[in-house]
Each structure stands twice: as C-alpha cells, then as structure tokens.
Amino acid sequence: NAGVTQTPKFRVLKTGQSMTLLCAQDMNHEYMYWYRQDPGMGLRLIHYSVGEGTTAKGEVPDGYNVSRLKKQNFLLGLESAAPSQTSVYFCASSAGGVNNEQFFGPGTRLTVL
Amino acid sequence: DQQVKQNSPSLSVQEGRISILNCDYTNSMFDYFLWYKKYPAEGPTFLISISSIKDKNEDGRFTVFLNKSAKHLSLHIVPSQPGDSAVYFCAAISNFGNEKLTFGTGTRLTIIP
C-alpha cells in the first residue's frame, strides 16, 4: 500500500499562473482533506470531502478550488496563484469515525513568485 | 481565533529525561484529542489520542493527560530518545462535525544526546 501520495513534490509558480495538486489514497477512505502549513500557523484546513462527489470549505478556502470525482483522488486547484499561497500543502485521508485518525501525504512545497 | 494553542514553539530536552509538551483549547465542544508527530520533509503521523471521557491514555513511552476543567492536555515522553526530535501537533475534534480536526501551531522538540 502506498498510503497517501501527492503530486508534485515541489513547484514554483509565477503570480497569476494556475496549477492543480493531485492527492491519491489507496486505503478506500471516505474522507479526504487539504491543509496548508505555514511557519507559526500550524496546519490549516483549506477544503475537505466526506465522500465521492462532495466537497466543503475549511478554515482558509479563498483562492482554492477542489474536486473529488473519484473516491481515491482529491484535487486542489489554484486558479490564479498569489505570493500569499506560498506554503507547504498536505493532503490527508481518513475513514472517519470517533477518532478520525487522518493519514497524511508527504507534502507539496509550492513557491509563488 | 486559535481554538487549539501550543504556547511553546520549541523545547529542548536531554536524552533519557522526560519531555512534556502542552496544549490548551478553548472550545468546550471538543471531545477527542490527538497528537501528531512530524519529521522534516514528511507528512504528520498519528501518535496517540484520548477521549474526553478519560484523563489518561498510555502507549509505550508516550502518555497523554487530559484536564477537562482546565481545557488542557499534555503529552509525556519518557525516556526521551534522539528519534523523538520532531514537531508535535496537538489536534482536537468536536462532537459536532467530527469530520474535521483543529490543529495547534506545533512544538518543535529537540532531544539533546
């Protein structure tokens, strides 16, 4: 089992460019999440999904869009990148339940110039 | 408004001694708490959790204590080992909307050999 994988690992964008980050999980989890990690800010939830075809906003959704067309994949899109979106992005998945243990991918380091 | 707070950004502990990481929360609806550990260039991994109906949970060298009246939890690592050097995140789940975790800002633990 690969667990949770993220593509790409690194990316540099210019302001105004667009890109899509791909997350894939092979654990048949219903729930999937996108977080960003910034120094001194911890992990902040961008968007999440509780099942195929569903998405919901998290704490910091502005400037991002997501899609969950297949259960195993969760895509995060930046339509017009801004320097404030320079961050490390983590995808996670979980089976839900009381403790909702989430399994994280290795992260994508994005720099917006 | 930071609902989960880790007030110590960093902590250094001698190898073999006890490491104590602290976490405070403000939302009285939180009823499940988790600790995650993160190494550089990797995603966070689940470490240990505790339900609000308990005040202590132990797993090997790791023990989490919960003081509901003070809205405070702590992670004890004893004895501390060099491999414990990492960033530790505290996270909480609400009994309403348990599909989301709220993370603290993290504490960087350094174990000194």
Side-chain angles (χ1 to χ4, degrees), chain B residues 6-8 17 30 37 42 49 75 77-78 87 100 102:
Chain B
Q6 295 177 255
N7 292 319
S8 297
R17 306 293 291 270
F30 288 148
K37 176 179 180 179
E42 295 183 10
S49 63
L75 174 68
I77 306 172
V78 56
V87 177
K100 294 189 290 184
T102 301

Side-chain angles (χ1 to χ4, degrees), chain B residues 13-16 19 37-40 42 45 47 61-62 77 79-88 109-113:
Chain B
V13 174
Q14 206 78 29
E15 181 179 359
S19 295
K37 176 179 180 179
K38 184 185 179 304
Y39 291 119
E42 295 183 10
T45 56
L47 187 58
R61 297 186 297 113
F62 303 92
I77 306 172
S80 299
Q81 299 175 353
D84 296 329
S85 294
V87 177
Y88 290 79
L109 175 65
T110 302
I111 305 303
I112 304 164

Side-chain angles (χ1 to χ4, degrees), chain A residues 64-113:
Chain A
Y64 305 94
N65 56 75
V66 288
S67 64
R68 183 101 181 267
L69 299 179
K70 293 182 179 181
K71 185 176 183 179
Q72 65 267 34
N73 295 336
F74 196 29
L75 280 67
L76 178 71
L78 287 73
E79 292 185 348
S80 179
S84 61
Q85 294 178 304
T86 294
S87 187
V88 181
Y89 292 86
F90 289 100
C91 176
S93 72
S94 78
V98 173
N99 67 349
N100 197 10
E101 179 187 340
Q102 295 184 11
F103 295 81
F104 283 80
T108 295
R109 182 173 293 276
L110 175 66
T111 302
V112 183
L113 302 175

Side-chain angles (χ1 to χ4, degrees), chain A residues 31 33 35 37 40-43 45 48 50 57-58 90 94 97-107, chain B residues 1-2 31-32 34 36 38 41-46 49 87 89 93 98-106:
Chain A
Y31 296 1
Y33 306 83
Y35 294 91
Q37 185 194 6
M41 302 293 286
L43 290 159
L45 182 63
Y48 65 102
V50 297
K57 293 181 180 180
F90 289 100
S94 78
V98 173
N99 67 349
N100 197 10
E101 179 187 340
Q102 295 184 11
F103 295 81
F104 283 80
Chain B
D1 179 29
Q2 194 76 30
D31 67 349
Y32 206 93
L34 304 90
Y36 280 78
K38 184 185 179 304
E42 295 183 10
T45 56
F46 170 75
S49 63
V87 177
F89 290 100
I93 298 176
N98 64 351
E99 67 273 10
K100 294 189 290 184
L101 298 184
T102 301
F103 283 88
T105 52

